[in-house]
Amino acid sequence: MVILIGNKKIKAAVFISGAGTNLESLIKFSKKKRSPFIVQLIISNNLRSKGLRFAKIFGIKKRIFKFKKKKLDEKKILKILKFEKINLICLAGFMKILSKSFIKNFKGKILNIHPSLLPKYKGLNTHKRVLLNKEKYTGCTVHFVSPNLDSGKIIMQKKIKVKKKDTPEKLGKRVLIEEHKLYPKAILKIFNL
Ligand code: GAR
């Protein structure tokens, strides 16, 4: 559990690489009165992330770091996070692996959403693998980020049924709808709200 001090909202940075639909849902949730956080900053490793448009739409600062020189970029990011007084990092479809030392700097304050019922199906192409293995159920997980990929403590999961006619795309779309609801709920949970 993360403790909220006073009535001040926590400043969050959301890291993205792609469409940013989870980012959009987090921003929309953050504008609600009961939200414990505001999205102060958007970070992407990909200049072409569609999700970067939400920076303009919602008037949020954005920064791009290509992670070609990972150590250097992480150093620069840490500086910005400190300057912006960021207290929570939400990885939302961020496809770069953060270094152990970066994670240590934000111990217990980095969350991630993953499109499977962890510990099953860590890594990429989760929906394809779920279908190949003829799983009856799949879902999504919000967890704390630890130095090992997709392995930190689980905060919340949502389970859904796999349908006979599912394709990876169809299944992915249904899981994504659940992701948009689960991420805000998991954040409320860590703040004990
Ligand atoms: C989401 O399904 C998220 O769970 C997944 O990428 C997608 C991003 O969508 N993340 C991972 O696979 C991380 N291992 P979005 O950009 O529309 O939020």
Side-chain angles (χ1 to χ4, degrees):
M1 190 189 83
V2 181
I3 296 169
L4 266 184
I5 302 162
N7 290 326
K8 270 199 176 165
K9 292 207 174 194
I10 291 281
K11 290 181 179 167
V14 182
F15 287 33
I16 62 166
S17 299
T21 63
N22 275 293
L23 164 68
E24 184 186 18
S25 101
L26 286 175
I27 296 171
K28 286 187 172 160
F29 175 74
S30 74
K31 297 197 177 290
K32 297 195 170 160
K33 212 175 161 192
R34 68 193 175 108
S35 155
F37 70 98
I38 57 164
V39 178
Q40 175 81 5
L41 181 66
I42 298 165
I43 297 225
S44 178
N45 64 301
N46 176 9
L47 189 60
R48 285 185 233 271
S49 311
K50 281 191 183 160
L52 282 172
R53 74 185 198 280
F54 296 117
K56 202 168 183 190
I57 294 173
F58 293 101
I60 298 168
K61 287 180 206 170
K62 66 166 191 234
R63 297 293 300 266
I64 291 127
F65 294 93
K66 291 187 176 165
F67 274 68
K68 281 202 174 138
K69 289 182 181 161
K70 180 164 156 173
K71 258 194 172 168
L72 190 67
D73 280 350
E74 285 190 342
K75 223 175 164 182
K76 289 181 188 167
I77 293 173
L78 280 173
K79 237 183 171 175
I80 297 168
L81 297 178
K82 219 173 178 185
F83 179 79
E84 296 288 347
K85 298 191 166 63
I86 300 296
N87 263 319
L88 180 72
I89 295 176
C90 300
L91 306 183
F94 184 65
M95 295 310 192
K96 292 282 174 191
I97 295 171
L98 295 167
S99 72
K100 288 183 185 174
S101 79
F102 184 96
I103 293 169
K104 268 189 196 158
N105 265 282
F106 264 82
K107 208 171 168 238
K109 292 177 180 171
I110 311 180
L111 312 181
N112 182 41
I113 186 148
H114 186 76
S116 78
L117 293 172
L118 290 174
K120 281 184 152 184
Y121 303 103
K122 296 174 184 177
L124 299 175
N125 300 317
T126 54
H127 309 306
K128 197 176 164 188
R129 289 185 283 140
V130 162
L131 292 175
L132 276 174
N133 286 342
K134 301 196 182 334
E135 295 280 3
K136 283 192 175 138
Y137 295 94
T138 186
C140 46
T141 305
V142 177
H143 63 96
F144 286 107
V145 171
S146 71
N148 296 330
L149 185 68
D150 298 331
S151 298
K153 191 176 172 229
I154 290 171
I155 301 162
M156 267 184 142
Q157 290 187 309
K158 173 71 187 184
K159 193 171 166 182
I160 68 163
K161 260 194 176 166
V162 177
K163 292 180 182 170
K164 281 218 173 91
K165 286 188 177 172
D166 265 334
T167 59
E169 291 71 29
K170 280 185 186 169
L171 186 55
K173 273 188 189 166
R174 287 211 315 288
V175 171
L176 197 58
I177 291 169
E178 297 304 328
E179 291 184 39
H180 298 157
K181 295 185 243 172
L182 189 71
Y183 216 157
K185 273 190 195 163
I187 294 177
L188 285 176
K189 187 176 171 193
I190 63 165
F191 288 108
N192 214 16
L193 295 170

